[in-house]
Amino acid sequence: MKLAKYLPDTYRRERLRGKSPETVRVYLAQVGSLERLAGREIDVEELSTDLLASAIETLLDEGKSKATANKLLRHIRSIWTHALDAGIVDSYCRVRRLAEPRRRPRTWTLEQYSQVVRTARGLPATVDELGLGSLPERVGRFPAAHFWEALLLFAYYSGLRVTALLSIRWANVDLSRGEVLVDAEDQK
């Protein structure tokens, strides 16, 4: 069975049930990457340490990071283990994870972030003053300047990523307790 068929027909049904569409998309993309790197479609039975090691080496030769190579390894190894448990392949993946250099995240300084908040706070009362007629003057029932300032401060103090912030709905907010519930699937 082709790996690209095994993933949606078997692995997805048994191991990815209930996972977010984004998780499924990532698995499909990783299978596509492996096949691109191999230059052909791959049968599940063909999964081998040599095949995966060669794909990772090619990724690194293309200038991709060790983190990208490890992501491919992690997803393909998971599918491989499932195929091993099902008796489709008879050997375990022996490719080891690559050591990744520790990187400090790039962040804004407090002064830079303060400037962004001051800019949001200073948004004019009307969009005509900006010369950009497409910007809303209000977000919901709030003046746009208040909304953006509150959003930026909430982002700063909560440490949430943009996708997590955008996933928040009023049903997840408890103002009386000062709590916001963010679903785990919306966070990295």
Side-chain angles (χ1 to χ4, degrees), residues 90-102:
D90 58 5
S91 66
Y92 182 72
C93 173
R94 300 206 187 290
V95 180
R96 297 212 180 268
R97 185 181 170 280
L98 301 172
E100 297 175 32
R102 294 199 184 268

Side-chain angles (χ1 to χ4, degrees), residues 47-65:
L47 288 173
S48 70
T49 298
D50 289 343
L51 175 73
L52 192 50
S54 175
I56 288 174
E57 186 177 326
T58 302
L59 264 181
L60 297 173
D61 288 346
E62 290 176 350
K64 302 294 190 218
S65 70

Side-chain angles (χ1 to χ4, degrees), residues 13 30 56 60 84 107 114 123 132-133 152:
R13 187 179 67 245
Q30 295 304 319
I56 288 174
L60 297 173
L84 180 65
T107 60
S114 296
L123 285 174
L132 303 169
L152 290 165

Side-chain angles (χ1 to χ4, degrees), residues 10-11 13 16 41 45 47-48 60 62 74 81 96 113 120 128 133 145 156 158 163 174 186:
T10 304
Y11 185 81
R13 187 179 67 245
L16 299 179
E41 289 184 329
E45 300 83 4
L47 288 173
S48 70
L60 297 173
E62 290 176 350
R74 187 172 56 249
T81 301
R96 297 212 180 268
Y113 202 81
D128 291 338
Y156 179 79
S158 69
T163 53
D174 185 340
D186 295 323

Side-chain angles (χ1 to χ4, degrees), residues 30-49:
Q30 295 304 319
V31 167
S33 291
L34 180 62
E35 291 187 336
R36 178 189 68 78
L37 294 164
R40 61 184 168 76
E41 289 184 329
I42 298 169
D43 289 322
V44 178
E45 300 83 4
E46 291 180 79
L47 288 173
S48 70
T49 298

Side-chain angles (χ1 to χ4, degrees), residues 72-140:
L72 174 71
L73 175 61
R74 187 172 56 249
H75 287 88
I76 299 303
R77 185 186 289 168
S78 180
I79 297 167
W80 188 335
T81 301
H82 183 269
L84 180 65
D85 291 346
I88 298 170
V89 295
D90 58 5
S91 66
Y92 182 72
C93 173
R94 300 206 187 290
V95 180
R96 297 212 180 268
R97 185 181 170 280
L98 301 172
E100 297 175 32
R102 294 199 184 268
R103 294 184 304 184
R104 290 188 64 194
R106 288 179 34 198
T107 60
W108 289 345
T109 65
L110 184 57
E111 179 52 38
Q112 290 170 323
Y113 202 81
S114 296
Q115 179 61 44
V116 171
V117 172
R118 282 193 300 274
T119 300
R121 187 179 295 141
L123 285 174
T126 66
V127 293
D128 291 338
E129 294 175 45
L130 286 174
L132 303 169
S134 64
L135 290 177
E137 293 178 23
R138 303 186 79 70
V139 178

